[in-house]
C-alpha cells in the first residue's frame, strides 16, 4: 500500500508538471521542480479547487483574531496560489485547545492537518486518528521544511523506529525562559534585586504588603502563574531552588524526571509556605493562560515567568506586558531577572509540538493531503516566511539582498495594532530569520530591548538533551501518567498542605501508574544515542 501510494503521489506531481507544458519538468523529481517562491502550477492548469480544514495552535495566540478576508493577505495568497478555500481554526496551545480539538474529532470532523502537543499526538496516533505520513512528508515534497528540521531529528521524533506518524513543528532553538520583575516596584520600596531564595521571598512579601503601587490598598501580590486548575507550573521558582531544572535533566549520569523526583517534597513545602504567607496571587491555580500575564499588565503582581515569550518586557511590541502596564502606569518597568543562586536556569529547546495529518482525509481525499503539504512547503519557504512574519513587500517591508527593513508605520497599523494577527500563520516557523540567511532591521527594537533580549538569551542553560523523542513503552500513555502526577501535586498542596506524603505518592506513580517502566525506557532510549557514556538505570 505504501509503495502504491508513493507511486500515486509521484504521478500527481508529474502530471502537475506536465500540465505546465514543460516536458523537462515532467521528467524530473519533485525535488527539482519545487521552489521557495512558487510551488503551485500555472493559472491555466490549476488543479480542482479544494476546501481544506486546518487546526493550529501556538504559544502566542492569546487574544489574537484574524482580520476579515479582504485584509488577510496571507489567506488570500494561499487561496489564490493553491486554489483552495482554507478554513483555519486557531487557539493558544494547551488544555482548552486539545479539549476543543477532541470534541471536533468526536463529532467526526477531524481537521485535514492539525497541530498537537507531544503527549496528545501520541494518543491521536494510538487511536488511529493520525495517519502514516511517510509518503507525504519527504525531502522531495517538502524541501523547504528541512531547512528548519533535520531528517535525523525527524526520525528520532517518531514513536517507533521505522514509522513516520508525526512531524516536528519547526521550533525556536534558543530558550528565552526568564522571570520578569517590576523594577519600578523594587525602586519604590528601596529593594535590591534578589539573588537567592531568601531574598526573593522577602521581595515577594514586600510586593504584597508594602503597597508598591502607592494606592493605599492591599491589592498587590508578589507572584502569579497559571495552573489551569490542574497543575503545579514550572513558573514557581521553588523548582529551580531545589535543583530541578525544566522538565528533565541528566545529572550525575542519571536521567532525572524533575516533576516526580524525591526533591519535589521540598518544592511542595516551599510553595505551601508562599501560599500560607499570602504572597502568591490566590487565583494562581485556577488561572488559565494568559490570565497570569493579564494580571501582570494590570499591576496586580510584581513577578511572572515565561519559557518562550521573549516580548514580555519589550517596548517594541505594542501588546507586550511592558506596554500594557505602562498604559496604566507610565513608570512601569518590567525587567528580566535571575533571582536564584543556581548554576543553570533552564535548558535549550527541544521539539515539542507536532504536525499531524488526518487518517480519514488520507484515506478518502489524499489530494487534500498533497495540497496541504504544498502549502506547508510554501509557508516555511523564504517567501512564506517573509509574508507571515513581516507582511507584504514594498508595503510593510523592503528587501535588499538578505537584509529585511521593516516599514514600522505600515506594520504597526495593519498588523501590530490589529492584534498581531500574523501570529496565526507564524506557528509554522519561529521568529528566526537567520535560518533562511536573512537579517531583520527593525527600528522599533531599541537599545533597551536589545539589552533585554541579550540578557535573557545569555542565561545559563542545559544542553538540549535528549537527542531523541522520548517515548514510553508500548501501551502506556505519558499523558495519562502526567494527569495522575498532577493530581498528587495538587493533593499535597491543597489538601495535605505539605510535602510529607510525596515519597508515598511518588512510589504509587512509579508502580501503580508505571512511572518506573516509563523512565527506564527513556533511559534506554537516551543511552542508544549517547556515544561517550551510559546513563545509570532509573531509580
Amino acid at each position: 500500500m505504501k509503495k502504491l501510494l508513493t507511486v500515486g503521489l509521484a504521478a500527481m506531481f508529474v502530471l502537475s508538471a506536465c500540465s505546465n507544458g514543460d516536458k523537462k519538468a515532467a521528467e524530473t523529481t519533485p525535488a527539482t521542480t519545487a521552489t521557495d517562491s512558487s510551488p503551485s502550477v500555472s493559472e491555466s492548469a490549476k488543479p480542482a479547487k479544494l476546501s481544506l480544514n486546518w487546526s493550529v495552535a501556538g504559544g502566542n495566540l492569546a487574544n489574537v483574531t484574524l482580520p476579515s478576508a479582504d485584509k488577510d493577505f496571507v489567506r488570500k495568497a494561499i487561496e489564490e496560489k493553491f486554489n483552495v478555500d482554507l478554513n483555519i481554526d486557531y487557539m493558544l496551545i494547551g488544555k482548552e485547545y486539545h479539549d476543543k480539538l477532541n470534541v471536533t474529532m468526536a463529532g467526526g470532523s477531524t481537521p485535514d492537518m492539525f497541530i498537537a502537543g507531544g503527549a496528545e499526538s501520541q494518543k491521536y496516533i494510538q487511536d488511529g486518528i493520525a495517519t502514516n505520513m511517510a509518503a507525504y512528508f519527504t525531502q522531495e515534497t517538502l524541501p523547504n521544511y528541512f531547512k528548519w528540521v533535520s531528517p535525523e531529528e525527524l526520525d528520532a521524533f517518531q514513536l517507533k523506529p521505522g514509522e513516520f506518524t508525526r512531524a516536528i513543528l519547526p521550533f525556536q532553538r534558543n530558550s528565552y525562559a526568564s522571570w520578569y520583575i517590576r523594577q519600578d516596584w523594587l525602586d519604590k520600596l528601596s529593594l535590591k534585586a534578589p539573588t537567592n531564595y531568601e531574598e526573593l521571598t522577602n521581595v515577594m512579601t514586600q510586593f504584597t504588603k508594602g503597597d508598591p503601587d502607592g494606592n493605599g490598598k492591599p491589592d498587590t501580590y508578589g507572584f502569579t502563574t497559571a495552573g489551569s486548575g490542574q497543575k503545579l507550573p514550572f513558573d514557581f521558582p521553588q523548582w529551580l531552588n531545589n535543583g530541578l531544572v525544566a522538565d528533565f535533566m541528566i545529572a550525575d549520569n542519571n536521567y532525572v524526571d524533575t516533576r516526580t523526583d524525591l526533591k519535589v517534597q521540598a518544592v511542595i513545602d516551599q510553595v505551601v509556605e508562599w501560599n500560607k504567607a499570602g504572597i502568591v496571587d490566590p487565583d494562581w491555580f485556577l488561572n488559565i493562560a494568559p490570565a497570569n500575564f493579564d494580571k501582570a499588565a494590570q499591576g496586580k503582581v510584581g513577578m511572572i515567568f515565561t519559557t518562550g515569550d521573549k516580548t514580555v518586557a519589550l517596548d517594541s511590541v505594542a501588546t507586550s506586558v511592558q506596554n500594557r502596564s505602562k498604559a496604566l502606569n507610565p513608570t512601569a518597568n518590567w525587567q528580566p531577572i535571575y533571582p536564584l543562586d543556581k548554576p543553570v536556569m533552564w535548558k535549550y529547546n527541544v521539539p515539542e509540538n507536532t504536525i499531524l495529518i488526518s487518517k480519514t482525509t488520507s484515506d478518502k481525499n489524499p489530494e487534500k493531503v498533497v495540497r496541504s503539504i504544498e502549502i506547508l512547503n510554501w509557508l516555511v519557504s523564504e517567501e512564506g516566511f517573509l509574508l507571515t512574519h513581516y507582511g507584504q513587500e514594498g508595503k510593510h517591508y523592503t528587501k535588499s539582498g538578505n537584509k529585511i527593513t521593516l516599514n514600522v508605520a505600515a506594520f504597526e497599523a495593519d498588523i501590530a495594532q490589529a492584534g498581531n494577527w500574523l501570529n496565526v500563520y507564524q506557528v509554522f516557523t519561529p521568529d528566526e530569520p537567520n535560518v533562511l540567511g536573512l537579517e531583520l532591521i527593525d527600528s522599533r527594537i531599541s537599545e533597551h530591548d536589545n539589552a533585554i533580549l541579550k540578557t535573557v538569551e545569555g542565561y545559563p542553560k542545559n544542553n538540549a538533551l535528549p537527542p531523541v523523542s522520548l517515548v514510553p513503552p508500548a501501551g502506556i500513555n505519558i499523558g495519562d501518567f502526567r494527569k495522575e502526577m498532577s493530581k498528587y501535586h495538587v493533593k499535597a498542596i491543597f489538601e495535605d498542605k505539605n510535602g510529607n506524603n510525596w515519597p508515598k505518592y511518588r512510589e504509587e506513580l512509579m508502580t501503580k501508574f508505571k512511572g518506573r517502566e516509563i523512565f527506564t525506557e527513556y533511559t534506554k532510549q537516551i543511552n542508544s544515542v549517547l556515544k561517550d557514556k551510559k546513563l545509570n538505570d532509573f531509580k
Side-chain angles (χ1 to χ4, degrees):
M1 288 296 294
K2 177 178 175 182
K3 289 180 179 178
L4 287 172
L5 184 56
T6 303
V7 171
L9 288 168
M12 290 180 70
F13 280 106
V14 170
L15 287 172
S16 177
C18 288
S19 67
N20 260 336
D22 187 339
K23 181 177 180 181
K24 181 178 179 181
E27 297 171 349
T28 63
T29 66
T32 59
T33 59
T35 66
D36 273 1
S37 59
S38 180
S40 62
V41 297
S42 69
E43 287 291 330
S44 62
K46 276 187 176 181
K49 193 169 190 176
L50 297 175
S51 179
L52 302 179
N53 294 305
W54 289 9
S55 185
V56 305
N60 59 351
L61 295 185
N63 303 317
V64 171
T65 301
L66 283 175
S68 56
D70 61 315
K71 295 181 179 179
D72 188 343
F73 50 76
V74 177
R75 176 178 173 178
K76 183 179 180 181
I78 291 172
E79 293 187 338
E80 291 181 354
K81 185 179 288 289
F82 299 96
N83 198 26
V84 298
D85 287 324
L86 179 61
N87 303 304
I88 188 165
D89 197 14
Y90 55 93
M91 280 184 68
L92 182 73
I93 196 160
K95 182 178 184 299
E96 284 192 334
Y97 167 74
H98 289 103
D99 286 347
K100 181 179 179 181
L101 187 58
N102 293 339
V103 170
T104 301
M105 292 175 175
S109 301
T110 302
D112 302 313
M113 189 167 76
F114 57 102
I115 288 171
E120 290 81 7
S121 70
Q122 181 187 358
K123 178 69 171 169
Y124 297 141
I125 292 166
Q126 290 177 343
D127 290 348
I129 295 172
T131 196
N132 179 359
M133 296 193 288
Y136 301 106
F137 232 91
T138 69
Q139 289 180 273
E140 288 73 32
T141 59
L142 278 161
N144 296 316
Y145 172 84
F146 288 93
K147 297 174 183 177
W148 299 89
V149 177
S150 73
E152 293 75 20
E153 287 174 323
L154 202 56
D155 288 342
F157 196 65
Q158 302 313 308
L159 298 180
K160 296 178 182 178
E163 74 171 14
F164 183 20
T165 48
R166 61 181 188 172
I168 294 172
L169 183 67
F171 62 103
Q172 182 176 276
R173 303 289 170 151
N174 202 345
S175 168
Y176 292 87
S178 180
W179 282 278
Y180 287 85
I181 199 166
R182 282 287 293 262
Q183 180 63 47
D184 56 309
W185 285 13
L186 288 173
D187 295 341
K188 179 176 176 58
L189 299 175
S190 299
L191 297 170
K192 293 182 179 180
T195 59
N196 57 53
Y197 186 71
E198 182 179 358
E199 293 176 359
L200 177 60
T201 300
N202 177 60
V203 167
M204 296 298 97
T205 302
Q206 295 303 313
F207 279 4
T208 304
K209 301 179 180 180
D211 191 24
D213 59 358
N215 68 357
K217 301 177 182 179
D219 57 356
T220 58
Y221 296 95
F223 174 73
T224 195
T225 181
S228 301
Q230 62 178 341
K231 64 183 179 180
L232 176 63
F234 280 119
D235 299 26
F236 275 99
Q238 284 80 357
W239 292 100
L240 182 57
N241 188 53
N242 286 281
L244 299 174
V245 180
D247 53 351
F248 69 87
M249 305 183 300
I250 306 299
D252 298 326
N253 202 27
N254 286 284
Y255 171 82
V256 178
D257 184 72
T258 52
R259 286 171 284 182
T260 57
D261 192 76
L262 283 170
K263 293 179 182 178
V264 173
Q265 178 174 351
V267 174
I268 292 170
D269 282 336
Q270 291 177 352
V271 170
V272 169
E273 287 174 0
W274 273 26
N275 283 343
K276 286 182 177 178
I279 60 179
V280 183
D281 166 26
D283 296 329
W284 73 263
F285 180 65
L286 297 178
N287 285 340
I288 297 174
N292 49 331
F293 281 15
D294 291 341
K295 290 192 174 188
Q298 293 160 8
K300 295 181 179 180
V301 296
M303 191 175 79
I304 52 175
F305 180 80
T306 177
T307 58
D309 187 356
K310 61 183 179 181
T311 72
V312 168
L314 299 188
D315 288 331
S316 57
V317 178
T319 55
S320 69
V321 172
Q322 170 78 352
N323 279 320
R324 292 165 63 196
S325 299
K326 290 177 73 173
L328 297 176
N329 182 349
T331 65
N333 181 16
W334 287 95
Q335 289 291 327
I337 188 172
Y338 188 11
L340 300 170
D341 52 353
K342 304 299 175 183
V344 175
M345 173 185 268
W346 202 246
K347 69 176 183 182
Y348 289 101
N349 290 327
V350 294
E352 294 181 355
N353 297 324
T354 66
I355 301 173
L356 303 174
I357 292 175
S358 161
K359 189 175 188 305
T360 299
T361 302
S362 178
D363 290 345
K364 295 182 178 181
N365 303 102
E367 68 277 9
K368 289 190 175 184
V369 181
V370 173
R371 202 77 59 88
S372 291
I373 293 298
E374 290 177 345
I375 297 171
L376 176 61
N377 185 58
W378 176 80
L379 282 168
V380 299
S381 71
E382 179 177 305
E383 181 182 323
F385 177 86
L386 289 173
L387 188 68
T388 57
H389 283 259
Y390 310 128
Q392 297 169 301
E393 185 174 6
K395 181 178 183 180
H396 301 113
Y397 73 90
T398 57
K399 184 174 185 292
S400 178
N402 70 331
K403 295 185 183 300
I404 309 301
T405 302
L406 207 63
N407 182 339
V408 172
F411 187 90
E412 286 285 332
D414 297 344
I415 299 163
Q417 293 176 7
N420 280 321
W421 59 270
L422 282 182
N423 290 0
V424 173
Y425 300 102
Q426 291 173 12
V427 298
F428 294 100
T429 48
D431 188 19
E432 294 186 332
N434 57 295
V435 172
L436 298 173
L438 302 172
E439 179 185 349
L440 176 65
I441 301 173
D442 184 351
S443 61
R444 299 172 305 170
I445 302 178
S446 62
E447 292 184 10
H448 165 271
D449 287 3
N450 271 324
I452 287 176
L453 293 172
K454 185 176 181 180
T455 295
V456 174
E457 191 173 297
Y459 284 143
K461 307 175 187 77
N462 282 331
N463 288 329
L465 285 171
V468 295
S469 175
L470 296 178
V471 181
I476 300 178
N477 186 286
I478 188 61
D480 294 338
F481 173 82
R482 293 298 182 195
K483 287 180 182 177
E484 297 301 325
M485 174 200 73
S486 292
K487 288 178 183 178
Y488 281 128
H489 287 165
V490 173
K491 180 179 175 64
I493 291 171
F494 294 106
E495 293 184 25
D496 302 342
K497 295 187 178 358
N498 60 64
N500 294 345
N501 287 325
W502 177 250
K504 180 181 70 174
Y505 296 158
R506 180 184 187 273
E507 188 57 26
E508 288 190 22
L509 288 168
M510 293 301 111
T511 54
K512 180 179 178 181
F513 298 105
K514 302 181 179 180
R516 191 164 283 111
E517 292 180 45
I518 294 172
F519 302 132
T520 296
E521 178 64 21
Y522 283 4
T523 301
K524 290 179 181 178
Q525 291 169 19
I526 296 173
N527 281 334
S528 69
V529 296
L530 290 180
K531 297 179 180 180
D532 299 329
K533 62 181 180 180
K534 295 290 184 179
L535 302 186
N536 297 323
D537 292 337
F538 183 83
K539 297 296 186 289

